[in-house]
Amino acid sequence: MTRQIISSSPVPPEQQPVNEYEELKNSWLFCWVTLERPQYIKKLVWVWLWSWLVSGPVAAASFFPEKYPIEFLLSGSAGASFILILVLLRLYLGWNYIRSRLASTTVFYEESGWYDGQTWLKTSEEITKDRLIVNYQVQPLIKRLRKTFYSLVLIICLGGIIWVSI
């Protein structure tokens, strides 16, 4: 259940940045980043393992597992990691969008459709509140996603080094 914060702005409640933040924070995929570290890593490992359903058969078709076990494992892992990178990219783009909506001094919104967009200038109180959310809630999540992405790229590079050395 999402809690909508009502303000004095003319922006419809579902398009207000604070409410968009609350909705994203409570959504199925995007809430993963807000979990404690062990649960967050468990979710990512879960995605990586399920990605083997796609990457494993492709790797097996390229490198027969019994004849080339290391190549099979490295190529399958790289394929599964690619799928995980796509999930991380989706998480990053969603949280970055919310960060930009909250950090902006104006809010673009649509009253009834794509053809009647309006821009509302936030009050100083709204700006302060939104920037506090950005600094203390959203930025740490974006930082976590960046660290995760860099760690995954490092692991893939190590796999590449192993690949070249065999």
Side-chain angles (χ1 to χ4, degrees), residues 16-47:
Q16 291 177 10
V18 173
N19 292 335
E20 289 175 327
Y21 161 72
E22 287 291 328
E23 185 177 331
L24 192 72
K25 184 175 74 169
N26 294 319
S27 68
W28 173 74
L29 178 65
F30 292 94
C31 76
W32 290 5
V33 187
T34 65
L35 297 172
E36 294 295 322
R37 181 182 222 148
Q39 288 85 11
Y40 170 67
I41 292 171
K42 186 189 282 186
K43 295 281 188 182
L44 297 181
V45 168
W46 179 83
V47 169

Side-chain angles (χ1 to χ4, degrees), residues 7-138:
S7 73
S8 61
S9 78
V11 181
E14 67 276 359
Q15 295 180 46
Q16 291 177 10
V18 173
N19 292 335
E20 289 175 327
Y21 161 72
E22 287 291 328
E23 185 177 331
L24 192 72
K25 184 175 74 169
N26 294 319
S27 68
W28 173 74
L29 178 65
F30 292 94
C31 76
W32 290 5
V33 187
T34 65
L35 297 172
E36 294 295 322
R37 181 182 222 148
Q39 288 85 11
Y40 170 67
I41 292 171
K42 186 189 282 186
K43 295 281 188 182
L44 297 181
V45 168
W46 179 83
V47 169
W48 185 80
L49 290 173
W50 277 99
S51 298
W52 268 89
L53 290 176
V54 174
S55 66
V58 173
S62 301
F63 302 101
F64 191 62
E66 292 172 1
K67 189 172 182 182
Y68 304 104
I70 295 173
E71 290 86 348
F72 166 74
L73 288 173
L74 288 174
S75 62
S77 295
S81 297
F82 178 73
I83 294 170
L84 181 58
I85 285 173
L86 293 177
V87 170
L88 289 170
L89 181 62
R90 178 65 189 115
L91 289 169
Y92 180 82
L93 290 174
W95 282 108
N96 196 49
Y97 171 76
I98 291 299
R99 185 203 55 77
S100 67
R101 292 273 291 170
L102 287 166
S104 176
T105 57
T106 60
V107 176
F108 179 79
Y109 66 98
E110 298 169 352
E111 289 181 11
S112 62
W114 61 268
Y115 51 85
D116 63 348
Q118 302 288 327
T119 302
W120 176 67
L121 185 62
K122 293 179 185 177
T123 64
S124 61
E125 179 183 295
E126 297 262 343
I127 292 170
T128 303
K129 178 181 64 172
D130 288 356
R131 292 211 172 135
L132 284 170
I133 292 171
V134 166
N135 291 336
Y136 294 103
Q137 300 294 322
V138 179

